[in-house]
Amino acid sequence: MVHPPALDGSRRVTADGETLGTAGHEDDVAEILRLADLYVTDVADDDFVEWQGGGPDDWPGLSAPHEQ
């Protein structure tokens, strides 16, 4: 589950009530799930991921992710 955005725009990611991490972008959600051995190919369209308080494009208060 991806929770509604916090005041800073980040979103908590949980599975079975356990916090897996905090995401600042859709790509972060995919990485958090991968690190938890929950491989999802498309977090935006997969029924496994439940988005609350906005969809995968809703990251208010955060700028675009930076290139690494």
Side-chain angles (χ1 to χ4, degrees), residues 29-52:
V29 175
E31 179 65 6
I32 289 167
L33 294 176
R34 185 190 69 78
L35 291 171
D37 291 328
L38 301 169
Y39 295 93
V40 177
T41 56
D42 186 354
V43 296
D45 290 327
D46 195 297
D47 290 338
F48 179 78
V49 180
E50 179 183 341
W51 294 85
Q52 293 188 334

Side-chain angles (χ1 to χ4, degrees), residues 2 5 9 11 24-26 43-45 51 53-62:
V2 181
R11 300 176 78 166
H25 186 266
E26 180 182 337
V43 296
D45 290 327
W51 294 85
D57 294 326
D58 191 12
W59 303 91
L62 291 176

Side-chain angles (χ1 to χ4, degrees), residues 11-33:
R11 300 176 78 166
R12 192 167 51 102
V13 180
T14 62
D16 295 326
E18 177 184 344
T19 298
L20 301 177
T22 303
H25 186 266
E26 180 182 337
D27 293 341
D28 295 339
V29 175
E31 179 65 6
I32 289 167
L33 294 176

